Amino acid sequence: MVESLTEQATDVVVLGAGIVGVSAAYAIRARGLSVTLVDRKLPGEETSYGNAGILSSGSILPLNKPSLFSALPSYLTNQNAALRWDPTWTLRNIEWVLRFLANAVPSRVKPRATALHGLIGASLPLHRDWIVKAGVPERIRETGWLKVWRSDAVASAKAEQAALADYGIKSELLDRQAISALEPNILPVYKVGLLHTQTASVDSPGNVTKAYARMFDGTGGLIRQSEIRAIVPDGAGWRVVLGDGALSARHVVVALGPWSPDILRPLGYRVPMAFERGYHQEFKPNPARSLQRPIHDAEGSFLMTPMEQGVRVTSGVELTGRDAPSNFAQLAQVVPLARGVVEFGDAVAAPWRGARPTLPDSLPMIGPAPRHSGLWLAFGNQHIGFTTGPATGAAIAAMISGAQPPFDVGAFAPSRYL
Ligand SMILES: Cc1cc2nc3c(=O)[nH]c(=O)nc-3n(C[C@H](O)[C@H](O)[C@H](O)COP(=O)(O)OP(=O)(O)OC[C@H]3O[C@@H](n4cnc5c(N)ncnc54)[C@H](O)[C@@H]3O)c2cc1C
C-alpha cells in the first residue's frame, strides 16, 4: 500500500528502503506494530540494487585484517584495481583511516569475525525463508561462490579455508581441472579455486529487496515515497519531517545506508562512516557461455555475477567522498580481464556506482542511539549488507519489542562510537 496522507501517527517509522530498512520494517511489522517505511525512491534502488548479489556465509573477515598491511605498498601508486584512494579525501579523513588500520591488527580480528559470523549466521536462514515467502524463490541460487587465483596460490587458498573452517564454514579447494568441471564456460586461466559451498546468490538484489517490500506491504505495512528532511524529538516520540508532510511515531529506525550520518548530525551524533565506493557494469550474456555462480578473481580484483539482465562485473574499493564524481578507472581496468575469462557481449546499461557504508571496525551499528529514547540505528553494513540486511532488521525488531535479538548484538552497539 503506498501511503498518501500528509500526517500519520504510527508505532515505528523506518527511514530508508534498502535491504536493511525493508528487512527492519517487515520484521517489526511481524511483531504486530504499525510501521511506515519511507524512502525518496522505490525500495531497493540504491546500494541494495547495485551489489554483487552474494549471500555470503564466509565474509567474516573484514577488509581491515592483517593482510591489509602487506598489501598497502601495492596501493601507494593508486593504480591497483583492488583499492584506489583519493589523496585529498584521505588527508581530510586521516582519523578514520588510522582507526580503520588500527582494527587490522591480529588481536582485533577474532572478536569481529565472531560478531560477523553471528550476524551472517542469523541472516542467511532469514533470506532463504523470506525469498520463498516473498514469492520469488527462483531468484536464489544455491551454487556457492567461487574464489579463484591465477597464480599458484594454494597456500593462500588453504589459509582461507582453514580460517573459515575455524567457524564451521565449509569450502572446497579446487585445481584447474576441478574449476573447469564446475564452470565449463570459463577459460582455463585459474590455477587454484576455493568454492564457498554454503554461500548462495541472487539474480537481482534490487528485485529481491522489492519483493521483500511487497511482502511487508502485504502484512499491512505502509510505504511512503518522500524525501526525509529531519527527525525531531517530540514528547515521548519522534516527528519525522518529510518533503511533503510529516509523520509521528514512538520509534524511528535510521536505515539510510551511506546517507545515515546526515540525518543524525543535527542530533549531535557524528558517525565515523567512510564510503568504500564500488562500480558495476552489466554485459549481454552469451547463453552458450553462461556462468553458474558468482566468481571472485582474487588477483584481478573483480567479481562477476550472472544476473537477470546480464553478466554483472563489479569493481574493488574506491575510497573517496560519497558524492565525489565517478571515476571509472577501476572498471575500465577489470572489464577486459573479465572478458578474458568468459565470453560476453556489449554493455546492456551504463556503469553504476554505489557506496559501501563502512565504520572503522567494519561492523555495522545495530541498536539504540545512546542519548535518545526510541531512536534505533541500523547501518554501516559495508561489503556484506545485502547478506546481513535481514538479521540486522530482525535484531532491531526484537530490541524495539524488548525481546532477545537472534544473535549477540554486543559488538554492534552504536555507543562504541557515539
Ligand atoms: C559494488 C558493491 C558490491 C557489493 N556486493 C555485495 C554482495 O555481493 N553481497 C552483500 O551482501 N553486499 C554487497 N555489497 C554491500 C551492500 O550492497 C550494502 O551493504 C547494502 O546494500 C546496504 O544496504 P542499506 O539498506 O544499508 O543501504 P541502501 O540500499 O543504500 O538504502 C538506503 C536507502 O536510503 C534512502 N535515502 C537516503 N537518504 C534519504 C533521504 N534523505 N530521504 C529519503 N530516502 C533516503 C536511499 O534512497 C536508499 O534507498 C556491495 C556493495 C557495493 C557498492
Side-chain angles (χ1 to χ4, degrees):
M1 188 187 308
V2 175
E3 167 63 11
S4 61
L5 300 176
T6 50
E7 189 80 40
Q8 177 81 30
T10 185
D11 291 329
V12 186
V13 173
V14 177
L15 309 180
I19 188 66
V20 174
V22 167
S23 298
Y26 175 68
I28 297 165
R29 180 74 199 116
R31 288 181 177 272
L33 301 177
S34 59
V35 184
T36 301
L37 173 65
V38 190
D39 199 301
R40 59 184 162 216
K41 295 193 165 182
L42 293 171
E45 300 209 333
E46 288 283 1
T47 332
S48 300
Y49 156 78
N51 59 71
I54 300 168
L55 301 177
S56 176
S57 62
S59 296
I60 56 170
L61 296 174
L63 196 68
N64 46 350
K65 54 181 177 289
S67 59
L68 177 61
F69 294 117
S70 49
L72 280 181
S74 72
Y75 299 145
L76 288 179
T77 56
N78 230 345
Q79 297 298 313
N80 195 321
L83 177 78
R84 296 282 181 111
W85 50 283
D86 169 354
T88 311
W89 180 92
T90 305
L91 280 176
R92 280 205 198 114
N93 293 276
I94 195 69
E95 191 186 339
W96 184 92
V97 174
L98 294 175
R99 287 165 102 181
F100 187 74
L101 289 173
N103 276 299
V105 299
S107 62
R108 299 209 187 157
V109 169
K110 197 160 185 202
R112 291 181 301 139
T114 303
L116 288 175
H117 186 230
L119 172 62
I120 292 171
S123 219
L124 291 179
L126 291 176
H127 264 302
R128 290 183 167 112
D129 181 35
W130 291 3
I131 210 158
V132 174
K133 286 193 177 131
V136 289
E138 71 285 357
R139 291 203 178 276
I140 192 167
R141 278 179 300 242
E142 296 287 356
T143 49
W145 174 26
L146 180 59
K147 183 168 177 180
V148 277
W149 287 262
R150 291 164 189 252
S151 69
D152 198 6
V154 181
S156 303
K158 279 190 172 164
E160 186 167 325
Q161 186 173 42
L164 295 177
D166 281 347
Y167 289 88
I169 302 165
K170 294 190 182 125
S171 63
E172 285 170 17
L173 196 62
L174 308 175
D175 61 13
R176 199 193 295 270
Q177 285 72 31
I179 294 168
S180 294
L182 209 58
E183 288 287 349
N185 293 321
I186 66 173
L187 294 171
V189 294
Y190 299 118
K191 287 189 175 153
V192 180
L194 192 68
L195 178 67
H196 291 225
T197 52
Q198 293 165 313
T199 285
S201 61
V202 301
D203 72 351
S204 171
N207 280 330
V208 168
T209 308
K210 285 183 191 301
Y212 292 176
R214 282 197 301 276
M215 184 167 74
F216 163 68
D217 178 277
T219 63
L222 298 178
I223 299 176
R224 176 152 173 169
Q225 199 178 342
S226 285
E227 180 72 25
I228 301 154
R229 297 214 188 286
I231 48 174
V232 185
D234 183 17
W238 290 88
R239 187 173 166 79
V240 180
V241 183
L242 304 176
D244 58 351
L247 296 166
S248 51
R250 172 70 191 89
H251 300 272
V252 167
V253 180
V254 178
L256 294 166
W259 295 272
S260 301
D262 302 3
I263 205 86
L264 292 167
R265 206 168 295 124
L267 294 170
Y269 295 111
R270 293 190 67 79
V271 177
M273 182 183 282
F275 310 100
E276 295 189 63
R277 300 202 324 183
Y279 299 82
H280 86 225
Q281 192 158 23
E282 290 184 339
F283 298 88
K284 197 171 177 215
N286 176 347
R289 294 273 178 270
S290 60
L291 296 172
Q292 308 306 310
R293 55 184 57 72
I295 294 181
H296 175 194
D297 184 320
E299 290 148 332
S301 304
F302 66 89
L303 278 152
M304 281 190 299
T305 307
M307 291 284 185
E308 190 174 31
Q309 307 295 338
V311 180
R312 180 175 287 188
V313 179
T314 316
S315 72
V317 169
E318 181 193 27
L319 265 184
T320 186
R322 183 189 62 203
D323 305 320
S326 295
N327 176 352
F328 300 111
Q330 282 159 291
L331 209 48
Q333 220 172 334
V334 300
V335 168
L337 286 177
R339 280 195 190 283
V341 175
V342 70
E343 198 181 305
F344 51 75
D346 293 339
V348 294
W352 172 90
R353 185 191 87 211
R356 305 168 182 95
T358 304
L359 301 166
D361 58 5
S362 293
L363 302 181
M365 286 191 184
I366 308 174
R371 296 185 295 282
H372 292 85
S373 160
L375 180 59
W376 302 87
L377 310 186
F379 52 77
N381 296 60
Q382 42 107 345
H383 291 239
I384 53 170
F386 189 66
T387 303
T388 55
T392 302
I396 292 287
M399 285 186 265
I400 287 178
S401 309
Q404 188 71 22
F407 57 93
D408 184 355
V409 291
F412 305 102
S415 57
R416 74 194 191 278
Y417 285 124
L418 300 179

